[in-house]
């Protein structure tokens, strides 16, 4: 099943959010609007807004409130992408030029700050203090996750636990609060919004593991940027950590990573990718992603069986699917 | 009167805020904490926290709530400084190495995002929706102000109005909401917190004009970075705009600005500074700063005469004073 088919029944509300995203980032300041709209138009799965809407279906579905939360979370995600592209010195994302590449790093930094600020103007309209508490904590954790990623660049001694903690902060938390805050603003009971949180969290973990695998297995067209970008940048992902535990592969892979580190931005990563693919690492990472999806599906059993739950099942299967 | 003397009677509460600032940015992530503490320890006038506290004195002074607002606003200010240093490629601030210089641009970007995130965890604890609305709008305006500054780099055709709008966004708004939010969380009536806003706004405008003059008149020790940094970077400030209206100076100054633009980072700005000092521009800028101070003082007449008002008068005089 494709994501668009899963989304089909929610199309009306998703379109409203899309329009709202555009409206919120449009401003009299021409460059900020242009940069923000450029980013918005490059698309994306809009999985955070969809999670918010689906979370809201377990309570009193009020699109006005849900829209504000959905727009906030998508904009915060977008703002983090603009800053990540500066850090990663990335020229393309989703096959489009990045803001830092189409304009420059300065514009990208303020565009990120601006989009982030506009996100806050939306959430400021939500009166529930729990929403502000969860969101602000997630924002801090996201920064820590990004910083931990930098700190562990080219560190081939890191543990699986280390990686998992990092992607939890970097990716899974924002997805977790997407479903959760949808539930909270719809007035769900704690038991329900906690289940929604755990669903989002587990799907988020699987999502990031799959994304890290895609960087090793996908084509440039699929990924929207050159394959092997992670390892070139020094981001040691789960399949690499697991491949390093494979005695057959460890030594030559370590030598390759060292060479990539020394050669820098233009280093050829094809041999390293080959080693990782031929190790047990990829399959083990694949299995771990599947385990997170199973956990996400199990959590859904705690929620009433309705069409939203059906959608969440489909999205979990979609995220869990190998797409490379 | 020195700022420390003005602050003397509030020392206890200011120290509590200082400790709280340290606590809030300290985290298990070593690099983020270290970078944030480095910035914090470099000092600063802490004018935003002081404004919050003084604003609070016009209502029911509750240090717990005021502390949260004060810490939020100071951290937001600090976060913007870290990002500005990346943009400005600045190596020193307040005589200390900047985060981007002591570490690198990546660390600086995430340190800024992190401090900003921690600021939000504090304000999230304040239930009053008006606080969130005012703050989030100010954040957006600050970004727009910074972007307008970039947009007008080396633009010698800009108007005074243009400059004033920019510093309003970049500097004055955050100071305006400092006094205002202090009043709001202390339960002041709109008439009072609006007066507090106007006071902070006018002091903020004067503050930025004085700061821009200081960059042309101060010594490296006073400024904490090399003089002439603004013009070298392309930031055409009020004294420059006014000097360009002086027929005696216009042509040679234009030629100097063009040369500085062409030569880039290492351009010698001493001749341009000489032209500006010898024009009527500096004096006119000086007068405008004084006028904002007078407005700030006039606004205070709308507030009850108490010791906080006396402090605000002293601070306005302090900001208004020529310090070069």
């Amino acid at each position: 099943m494709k994501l668009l088919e899963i989304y089909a029944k929610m199309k009306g509300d998703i379109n409203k959010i899309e329009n709202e995203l555009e409206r919120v980032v449009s401003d009299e300041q021409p460059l900020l609007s242009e940069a923000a709209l450029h980013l918005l138009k490059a698309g994306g799965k809009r999985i955070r807004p969809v999670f918010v809407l689906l979370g809201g279906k377990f309570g009193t579905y009020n699109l006005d409130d849900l829209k504000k939360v959905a727009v906030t979370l998508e904009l915060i995600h977008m703002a983090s992408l603009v800053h990540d592209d500066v850090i990663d010195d990335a020229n393309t994302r989703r096959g489009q030029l990045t803001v830092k590449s189409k304009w420059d790093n300065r514009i990208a930094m303020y565009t990120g700050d601006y989009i982030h600020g506009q996100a806050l103007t939306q959430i400021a309209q939500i009166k529930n203090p729990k929403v502000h508490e969860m969101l602000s904590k997630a924002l801090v954790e996201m920064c820590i996750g990004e910083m931990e990623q930098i700190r562990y660049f080219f560190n081939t001694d890191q543990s699986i636990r280390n990686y998992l903690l990092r992607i939890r902060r970097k990716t899974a938390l924002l997805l977790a609060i997407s479903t959760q805050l949808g539930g909270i603003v719809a007035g769900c009971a704690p038991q329900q919004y906690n289940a929604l949180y755990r669903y989002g969290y587990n799907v988020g973990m699987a999502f990031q593991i799959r994304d890290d695998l895609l960087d090793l297995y996908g084509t440039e067209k699929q990924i929207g940027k050159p394959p092997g970008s992670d390892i070139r940048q020094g981001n040691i992902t789960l399949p690499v950590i697991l491949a390093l535990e494979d005695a057959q592969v460890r030594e030559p892979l370590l030598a390759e990573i060292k060479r990539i580190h020394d050669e820098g931005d233009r280093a050829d990563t094809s041999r390293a990718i080959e080693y990782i693919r031929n190790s047990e690492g990829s399959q083990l990472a694949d299995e771990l992603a599947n385990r997170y999806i199973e956990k996400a599906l199990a959590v859904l059993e705690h929620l009433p069986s309705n069409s939203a739950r059906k959608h969440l099942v489909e999205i979990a299967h979609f995220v869990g699917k190998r797409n490379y």
Side-chain angles (χ1 to χ4, degrees), chain A residues 19 21 30 46 51 82 84 147 152 155 165 240 285 296 310:
Chain A
N19 293 338
L21 283 167
R46 305 287 188 249
F51 271 17
V82 191
D84 291 352
M147 201 69 151
Y152 283 93
N155 181 335
L165 188 58
V240 186
K310 195 166 150 270

Side-chain angles (χ1 to χ4, degrees), chain A residues 20 61-70 122 125-126:
Chain A
E20 188 66 4
Y61 190 87
N62 172 346
L63 186 60
D64 256 5
D65 280 353
L66 291 166
K67 200 162 65 174
K68 287 180 187 108
V69 176
Q122 297 307 298
Q125 297 168 48
I126 298 288

Side-chain angles (χ1 to χ4, degrees), chain A residues 16 27 65 82 110 153 164 215 230 245 258 277 298 301:
Chain A
K16 281 180 194 151
D27 186 274
D65 280 353
V82 191
Y110 283 130
F153 272 165
L164 294 177
D215 189 63
D230 283 333
E245 290 183 359
K258 188 179 175 312
R277 288 192 191 182
E301 298 296 322

Side-chain angles (χ1 to χ4, degrees), chain A residues 274-294:
Chain A
E274 197 64 26
Y275 287 134
I276 300 160
R277 288 192 191 182
N278 290 337
S279 77
E280 288 176 341
S282 303
Q283 204 193 320
L284 290 170
D286 199 77
E287 284 167 16
L288 190 55
N290 289 339
R291 237 186 294 160
Y292 278 111
I293 293 298
E294 280 161 26

Side-chain angles (χ1 to χ4, degrees), chain A residues 23-288:
Chain A
R23 191 189 65 78
V24 170
V25 302
S26 297
D27 186 274
E28 72 209 88
Q29 213 293 331
L31 208 47
L32 282 173
S33 293
E34 201 187 329
L37 287 171
H38 168 78
L39 195 72
L40 203 58
K41 297 276 163 88
K45 289 179 282 299
R46 305 287 188 249
I47 202 156
R48 291 154 198 84
V50 167
F51 271 17
V52 173
L53 295 179
L54 290 172
K57 296 268 190 193
F58 293 91
T60 312
Y61 190 87
N62 172 346
L63 186 60
D64 256 5
D65 280 353
L66 291 166
K67 200 162 65 174
K68 287 180 187 108
V69 176
V71 166
T72 299
L73 296 181
E74 186 66 11
L75 291 182
I76 280 171
H77 169 61
M78 280 173 57
S80 78
L81 295 184
V82 191
H83 281 187
D84 291 352
D85 288 338
V86 174
I87 301 291
D88 303 349
D89 205 15
N91 288 318
T92 55
R93 173 179 292 277
R94 293 171 187 148
Q96 303 283 323
L97 285 180
T98 56
V99 173
K100 72 132 249 147
S101 165
K102 194 170 152 95
W103 289 276
D104 63 26
N105 280 343
R106 293 184 316 188
I107 308 280
M109 186 144 86
Y110 283 130
T111 301
D113 289 354
Y114 165 76
I115 295 173
H116 196 278
Q118 290 291 25
L120 296 178
T121 66
Q122 297 307 298
I123 207 72
Q125 297 168 48
I126 298 288
K127 307 267 184 289
N128 190 327
K130 177 95 182 155
V131 172
H132 297 283
E133 185 201 327
M134 295 305 298
L135 178 66
S136 59
K137 285 189 179 156
L139 292 176
V140 170
E141 291 292 323
M142 280 171 75
C143 294
I144 297 177
E146 294 290 350
M147 201 69 151
E148 288 288 289
Q149 182 167 312
I150 293 178
R151 188 173 163 224
Y152 283 93
F153 272 165
F154 288 110
N155 181 335
T156 47
D157 274 336
Q158 58 187 294
S159 65
I160 297 172
R161 191 180 162 275
N162 208 301
Y163 166 85
L164 294 177
L165 188 58
R166 204 162 65 224
I167 67 167
R168 173 182 188 274
R169 289 172 152 150
K170 204 181 75 160
T171 307
L173 275 182
L174 196 64
L175 287 161
I177 68 165
S178 299
T179 34
Q180 185 196 32
L181 296 185
I184 289 178
V185 298
C188 287
Q191 206 195 345
Q192 295 202 322
Y193 68 63
N194 289 337
L196 286 167
Y197 178 95
R198 290 203 307 282
Y199 167 85
Y201 168 77
N202 283 299
V203 171
M205 294 297 280
F207 178 81
Q208 187 60 54
I209 295 173
R210 282 263 168 261
D211 204 52
D212 291 343
L213 279 162
L214 184 64
D215 189 63
L216 297 164
Y217 282 87
T219 60
E220 176 151 2
K221 190 161 174 246
Q222 272 180 306
I223 312 175
K225 58 184 177 183
S229 298
D230 283 333
I231 202 165
R232 195 174 292 110
Q233 187 197 355
N235 185 13
I236 306 292
T237 58
L238 185 63
V240 186
I241 298 172
L242 291 166
L244 286 168
E245 290 183 359
D246 184 333
Q248 301 279 316
V249 168
R250 182 172 172 84
E251 289 310 321
L253 180 55
L254 277 177
E256 271 301 292
I257 293 174
K258 188 179 175 312
R259 189 188 53 76
I260 291 168
H261 191 182
D262 293 344
E263 289 184 12
D265 286 355
R266 284 161 201 284
D268 176 19
T269 58
S270 57
R271 216 180 318 162
I273 291 178
E274 197 64 26
Y275 287 134
I276 300 160
R277 288 192 191 182
N278 290 337
S279 77
E280 288 176 341
S282 303
Q283 204 193 320
L284 290 170
D286 199 77
E287 284 167 16
L288 190 55

